[in-house]
């Protein structure tokens, strides 16, 4: 007698021969040769602000069919639960609350936009999970108390963030993180802004320009350097490694002797990046003052961002302003869209050129 056929459950592909357990998303990722976050993006309704190529999408769907994978409905229902709370996590040892802190204007934009959209905020700090170096499988687990979470900080644990994305938890990083596949982010357009500053210096007649930056692989620093070098190339000015001074200790290594050497070589303009520490600008500003440079008569200075609070009373530097409140608001809009399962696409916000008073025509001797 022929055995009765087992009827497949509605909506579920037949399991591969010999298999009894439900295929997991991680297995789909391994078979497709992609990250679990990418599988989550292809299969989920949320786009997470990322672009998935058709080839990658095809690999994932082929793996899904081969394994007979379907999402866990219980997990999907759990992910859909909402309580109108948005998390804000800072990768600093204490949450930035001082008005002078560079993160504070971000938080103003975050709070105002969240209130306008009817969300309350839950604040998390790096101090509760080991500070800026937080790591481990449960380092960020507590952010799941909220419907989604916004992260601030240059040095975030990539593996933990991608685990949240892979689980379908709405995540937005304030600052470019496109090197982490599937992670949504909102950032300032540092490349275009840095190019504009170099173009301004070139129009003033400067033919040799040097960038002073921290020895840091953070995307914000990389973008500024990329824009700076692109600006030099477009202006027909010398670039390459000689045009960039990288230092882990700018205030210790950018000496008066080094600055005088550059001046003797014909450098007439110096550009520094803004960071959380402000070390690059502080080092450049201090060395120029020590050497006795009359700025901008003897040489021009420019800052890719805003000056640190302790130098805010000095002449306003030529450079650009970062629209921090607008970035905070844009990040909340993106996070709210992801929480609602909608598409969100506004990753870059333009910076505003600041004429300042530290850049002028190149000295006539050059």
């Amino acid at each position: 007698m022929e055995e009765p056929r087992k009827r497949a459950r509605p909506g579920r592909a037949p399991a591969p021969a010999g298999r009894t357990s439900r295929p997991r998303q991680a297995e789909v990722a391994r078979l497709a040769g992609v990250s679990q976050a990418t599988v989550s993006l292809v299969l989920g309704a949320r786009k997470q602000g990322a672009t998935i190529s058709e080839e990658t999408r095809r690999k994932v769907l082929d793996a899904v069919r081969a394994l007979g994978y379907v999402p866990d409905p219980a997990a999907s229902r759990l992910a859909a639960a909402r309580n109108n709370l948005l998390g804000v996590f800072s990768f600093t040892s204490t949450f930035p609350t001082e008005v002078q802190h560079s993160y504070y204007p971000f938080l103003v934009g975050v709070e105002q936009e969240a209130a306008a959209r009817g969300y309350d905020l839950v604040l998390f700090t790096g101090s509760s999970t080991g500070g800026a170096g937080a790591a481990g499988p449960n380092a960020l687990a507590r952010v799941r108390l909220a419907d989604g979470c916004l992260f601030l900080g240059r040095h975030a644990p990539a593996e933990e963030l991608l685990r949240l994305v892979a689980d379908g938890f709405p995540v937005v990083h304030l600052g470019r993180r496109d090197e982490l596949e599937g992670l949504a982010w909102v950032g300032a357009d540092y490349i275009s802004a840095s190019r504009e500053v170099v173009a301004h210096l070139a129009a003033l007649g400067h033919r040799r320009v040097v960038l002073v930056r921290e020895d840091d692989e953070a995307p914000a620093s990389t973008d500024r350097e990329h824009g700076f070098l692109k600006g030099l190339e477009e202006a027909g000015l010398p670039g390459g490694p000689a045009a960039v001074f990288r230092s882990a200790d700018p205030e210790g290594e950018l000496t008066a002797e080094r600055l005088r050497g550059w001046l003797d070589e014909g450098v007439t303009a110096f550009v520094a990046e803004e960071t959380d520490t402000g070390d690059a600008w502080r080092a450049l500003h201090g060395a120029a003052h020590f050497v006795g440079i009359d700025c901008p008569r003897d040489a021009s200075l420019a800052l890719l961002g805003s000056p640190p609070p302790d130098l805010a009373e000095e002449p306003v530097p030529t450079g650009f302003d970062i629209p921090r409140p607008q970035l905070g608001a844009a990040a909340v809009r993106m996070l709210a869209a992801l929480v609602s399962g909608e598409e969100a696409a506004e990753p870059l916000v333009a910076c505003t050129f600041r004429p300042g008073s530290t850049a002028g025509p190149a000295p006539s001797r050059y």
Side-chain angles (χ1 to χ4, degrees), residues 19 245 249 324:
R19 179 170 187 131
F245 175 71
D249 179 23
R324 288 182 168 87

Side-chain angles (χ1 to χ4, degrees), residues 276-319:
D276 300 344
T277 65
D279 285 350
W281 175 251
R282 192 177 290 106
L284 177 59
H285 184 274
H289 180 75
F290 184 84
V291 171
I293 292 177
D294 186 336
C295 176
R297 187 192 67 184
D298 300 329
S300 291
L301 305 182
L303 174 60
L304 305 182
S306 302
D310 60 315
L311 296 180
E313 300 301 321
E314 300 291 336
V316 177
T318 298

Side-chain angles (χ1 to χ4, degrees), residues 204-227:
L204 290 171
H206 295 279
R207 314 322 303 163
R208 289 284 306 279
V209 186
V210 167
L211 169 67
V212 178
R213 57 161 293 186
E214 295 182 35
D215 190 12
D216 188 343
E217 297 304 326
S221 294
T222 302
D223 280 356
R224 285 181 172 94
E225 179 176 332
H226 179 71

Side-chain angles (χ1 to χ4, degrees), residues 83 85-88 122 124 143-151 169-172 335 339:
N83 54 17
L85 294 176
L86 298 182
V88 181
V122 181
F124 302 93
V143 303
R144 296 175 187 268
L145 293 169
D147 298 329
C149 193
L150 170 65
F151 292 89
F169 184 76
V171 171
V172 172
L335 185 57
V339 168

